[in-house]
Amino acid sequence: MGRRAAIVGAGHTRFGALEAGPRELLRTASELAFASVDRGFDRRAVEEVVLATLGFGGWQIGNVSAVLAEESGLAGTPTIRVENACASGGFALRAAVHAIESGACDLALVAGLEKMTDVASARRRYWLGVSGDTEWERSAGLTFAGVYGLIASRYLADHPGAAEALVAVAVKNHANGARNPNAHFQKIVDAETVRQAPRVADPLGLYDCCPVSDGAAALVVARAEHARRYTDSPVYIDGVGAGSDRLAVQERPELTRFAATRRAADEALRSAHVERAAIDFLEVHDCFTIAELLAIEDLGFAGPGEAVPLTLEGATGPSGRLPVNPDGGLKAKGHPIGATGVSQAYEAFLQLRGAAGPRQVPGAEQAMLHNVGGAGATAAVTILSSG
Ligand code: COA
């Protein structure tokens, strides 16, 4: 098994509608990440600083990575921003892994950030929309919920019983979020509440959608050979993979399969020399409940339509044979765009060290993370292990 790099520290703010502004969120997440490194840590050894953010609302859309360096006490250190819409975090982590593998640096800080709730709703729709196809889909009035609503309609028509699987995804992820003190929503919902909720983009209702959240997360990533200088329990990044697709869903041969995810998963597994059977849990990009079903299938854990019975029989629950989104997922934990992929790695850092408290996946040793940009135009997959 390859050990490409290792996470030796991780920090996370609360996700939700927060008072804190972007600078404070970055400062808090990076200080928590530095403080979590067990020993021998001098932040001046960080050689590369990577920030994932969409720049929601136009907030410092230009040179914002300098703000992360400044707020983490690393002004002077080289810094870059990665923007691949909702997949920015996964791609930022991949960029840091590549920098370490290439020998360009030994230690990197990776952070993800979004401040979304201070933007008025019309502007919010605009800033969510810029990550999709603006020539055809948005000009026809489609929001992201609208695009995923179309995808869900197709999936429901093809796979009888799928409507109840969407309900089950919402109920499960809310229950998982209720065990995560950083989650936007920490409340359990029952199936009838999900079914009766107002429609957002039919067939998707309120509980099928991720919320609009503020938040940040940060990781200290080291050369794998150096990891034990910092901690006795590093979390190794064994494989990374990525892919892309046509931006507009209308240009693709099928609505309900994401080629970018399939390519990213295959590459990550190949580079980690790992079989799917070895994966203990998944963190997938469930921006809408339908996206969790598609992810399970495109990542290769079920064939087309088979995520429905898998979900309905409870296999993806916290004590099922393939737990999915033990932290609540985007659905309940929240989805501050740039922070999401980094937050998934924060969850793996806790789970693979056996430190996830009441939401611990028993015996978790290997995890797969899946982060999607837009409606599948970009995807990053990361495979991690406890070593
Ligand atoms: N799930 C569950 N409850 C939600 C929710 C969600 N996604 N979004 C909002 N709520 C709750 C709020 O907590 C609030 O509850 P309260 O009345 O008990 O306080 C209530 O619903 C109304 O909240 P509000 O913020 O006014 O909702 P809204 O109608 O403005 O927005 C959505 C709801 C679903 C449209 C919005 O969350 C959304 O746009 N989500 C998708 C974001 C997105 O597209 N991200 C990119 C993905 S690719």
Side-chain angles (χ1 to χ4, degrees), residues 63-131:
N63 222 350
V64 70
S65 62
V67 175
L68 170 61
E70 198 178 313
E71 293 300 333
S72 57
L74 291 169
T77 308
T79 182
I80 54 165
R81 167 181 171 203
V82 173
E83 193 276 286
N84 258 8
C86 309
S88 301
F91 277 87
L93 179 56
R94 177 175 175 269
V97 170
H98 284 169
I100 288 170
E101 277 184 321
S102 73
C105 79
D106 287 343
L107 197 62
L109 174 71
V110 178
L113 162 77
E114 219 65 62
K115 178 74 192 173
M116 302 176 76
T117 64
D118 58 351
V119 172
S121 55
R123 209 158 159 234
R124 190 183 287 173
R125 274 193 298 281
Y126 170 80
W127 279 101
L128 284 169
V130 294
S131 299

Side-chain angles (χ1 to χ4, degrees), residues 86 128 144 185 200 206-207 209-212 287-288 331 335 337:
C86 309
L128 284 169
F144 262 114
F185 295 125
V200 174
L206 183 65
Y207 290 96
C209 305
C210 66
V212 171
C287 48
F288 300 92
K331 165 69 278 248
H335 182 27
I337 309 285

Side-chain angles (χ1 to χ4, degrees), residues 16 24 27 52 65 99 142-143 152 177 195 222 250 265 273 294 307 309 319 323 332 364 379:
E24 188 183 337
R27 189 163 62 244
S65 62
L142 271 180
T143 59
R195 289 187 201 106
Q250 52 152 356
H273 304 291
L294 299 191
S319 51

Side-chain angles (χ1 to χ4, degrees), residues 175-235:
N176 289 350
R179 288 188 289 271
N180 181 354
N182 285 325
H184 187 146
F185 295 125
Q186 298 177 28
K187 69 168 185 190
I188 292 174
V189 295
D190 60 30
E192 203 43 33
T193 306
V194 174
R195 289 187 201 106
Q196 297 301 327
R199 298 296 88 187
V200 174
D202 199 60
L204 303 177
L206 183 65
Y207 290 96
D208 290 294
C209 305
C210 66
V212 171
S213 319
D214 306 320
L219 310 167
V220 181
V221 185
R223 177 172 295 286
E225 302 89 288
H226 299 175
R228 286 186 182 269
R229 289 181 192 168
Y230 302 107
T231 175
D232 288 334
S233 39
V235 165

Side-chain angles (χ1 to χ4, degrees), residues 15-353:
F15 281 3
L18 307 175
E19 286 288 310
R23 282 179 175 270
E24 188 183 337
L25 292 170
L26 281 178
R27 189 163 62 244
T28 304
S30 53
E31 287 305 326
L32 288 169
F34 292 144
S36 74
V37 179
D38 293 332
R39 61 169 178 267
F41 187 68
D42 178 353
R43 74 177 67 190
R44 286 172 302 182
V46 172
E47 295 168 293
E48 189 80 28
V49 175
V50 187
L51 174 64
T53 190
L54 178 65
F56 203 80
W59 183 80
Q60 290 229 348
I61 201 154
N63 222 350
V64 70
S65 62
V67 175
L68 170 61
E70 198 178 313
E71 293 300 333
S72 57
L74 291 169
T77 308
T79 182
I80 54 165
R81 167 181 171 203
V82 173
E83 193 276 286
N84 258 8
C86 309
S88 301
F91 277 87
L93 179 56
R94 177 175 175 269
V97 170
H98 284 169
I100 288 170
E101 277 184 321
S102 73
C105 79
D106 287 343
L107 197 62
L109 174 71
V110 178
L113 162 77
E114 219 65 62
K115 178 74 192 173
M116 302 176 76
T117 64
D118 58 351
V119 172
S121 55
R123 209 158 159 234
R124 190 183 287 173
R125 274 193 298 281
Y126 170 80
W127 279 101
L128 284 169
V130 294
S131 299
D133 173 61
T134 46
E135 285 173 281
W136 293 97
E137 291 172 2
R138 296 304 174 271
S139 61
L142 271 180
T143 59
F144 262 114
V147 173
Y148 277 93
L150 286 178
I151 293 171
S153 296
R154 179 73 260 162
Y155 190 93
L156 263 54
D158 290 344
H159 306 296
E164 277 305 293
L166 298 185
V167 173
V169 169
V171 170
K172 167 183 71 72
N173 288 350
H174 268 274
N176 289 350
R179 288 188 289 271
N180 181 354
N182 285 325
H184 187 146
F185 295 125
Q186 298 177 28
K187 69 168 185 190
I188 292 174
V189 295
D190 60 30
E192 203 43 33
T193 306
V194 174
R195 289 187 201 106
Q196 297 301 327
R199 298 296 88 187
V200 174
D202 199 60
L204 303 177
L206 183 65
Y207 290 96
D208 290 294
C209 305
C210 66
V212 171
S213 319
D214 306 320
L219 310 167
V220 181
V221 185
R223 177 172 295 286
E225 302 89 288
H226 299 175
R228 286 186 182 269
R229 289 181 192 168
Y230 302 107
T231 175
D232 288 334
S233 39
V235 165
Y236 294 100
I237 297 167
D238 297 331
V240 290
S244 69
D245 202 348
R246 307 290 292 259
L247 180 61
V249 290
Q250 52 152 356
E251 304 283 356
R252 301 183 197 159
E254 326 176 66
L255 272 180
T256 55
R257 303 204 72 192
F258 284 180
T261 295
R262 297 210 301 280
R263 188 196 182 285
D266 288 345
E267 185 190 355
L269 287 161
R270 221 173 27 247
S271 73
H273 304 291
V274 163
E275 302 290 330
R276 285 180 177 83
I279 303 290
D280 295 309
F281 74 94
L282 305 178
E283 277 285 309
V284 308
H285 196 95
D286 60 324
C287 48
F288 300 92
T289 48
I290 181 65
E292 180 163 313
L293 303 185
L294 299 191
I296 292 167
E297 295 175 6
D298 287 327
L299 292 170
F301 292 89
E306 289 173 3
V308 171
L310 203 70
T311 300
L312 290 174
E313 77 198 26
T316 58
S319 51
R321 66 177 190 278
L322 183 65
V324 178
N325 289 330
D327 61 359
L330 283 59
K331 165 69 278 248
K333 185 184 59 177
H335 182 27
I337 309 285
T340 287
V342 182
S343 166
Q344 293 176 329
Y346 172 88
E347 179 67 8
F349 185 70
L350 297 188
Q351 291 282 353
L352 297 173
R353 289 156 62 108

